[in-house]
Amino acid sequence: MPTPHINAADGAFAPAVLMPGDPRRAERIAHLLMPDAEKVSDVRGIGAFTGEYNGKPLSVMASGMGQPSLSIYATELFTQYGVKRIIRVGTCGGMATSAKVGDVVVAMSAHTDSSMFNLVPGVNLAPTASWNLLSAAIAAADDTMNLHVGPVVSRDRFYGNDPDGVKTLADLGTLGVEMETAALYMLAAQHNAEALTVLTVSDHLFDTSGDMTAEEREHKFEGALKLAVAAAHC
């Protein structure tokens, strides 16, 4: 049955969903991979599309921006539509000096400053990717791709983060900053599902000289998409 945020019919979603943040990117990915993809939901401008890619069913749906927004859609997909795995395809700000603009980051785990998931009193849970999706994505990388695998940080604030805190996170090996992955990984754990995030470094917190434009961020995701599709159908 339709949910408050998804008006798709039962069975409208494939077991695997690619989830960019931007609705326009979701539509672009859907038609790039599946020219005959059907729009199965469109509530509040968040389109969802289902078709076949290489003979296997696949869905694409936007999450919106931030952990609260992604949590709404991921929860409804996991609990009401039988979705088994969600692969986020997005962008991040580079933090590690090795993670250059245009590189691809596969998020093995996600730190967060959010208080959304204080599920166990006295315990700081460590949300991580699903191993089979992580390993499938890494295996799909080729020699032309600058790939990094490691932790990212999911922040609730886009602006106004403490520079000293950012530097400390980078010194601790954090590859990049974004706004959704920790929630996705935690929800997958809660609902006995699978999740992975694959990101394109669109800008860098310590060297802004090569930052992508808004238009480039919307289009330059081919490398990340290749790995995401491999994870979706592993």
Side-chain angles (χ1 to χ4, degrees), residues 96-100 103 148 175 204:
T97 57
S98 60
K100 309 296 185 183
D103 289 359
H148 309 270
L175 296 173
H204 204 284

Side-chain angles (χ1 to χ4, degrees), residues 9 12 18 23 40 63 65 86 98 100-101 107 120 128 145 159 171 185 213 216 221 232:
L18 302 183
V40 297
S63 70
M65 189 179 295
I86 294 176
S98 60
K100 309 296 185 183
V101 172
V120 183
T128 62
M145 188 178 300
Y159 295 111
D171 290 343
Y185 288 4
T213 65
E216 287 172 331
F221 50 75

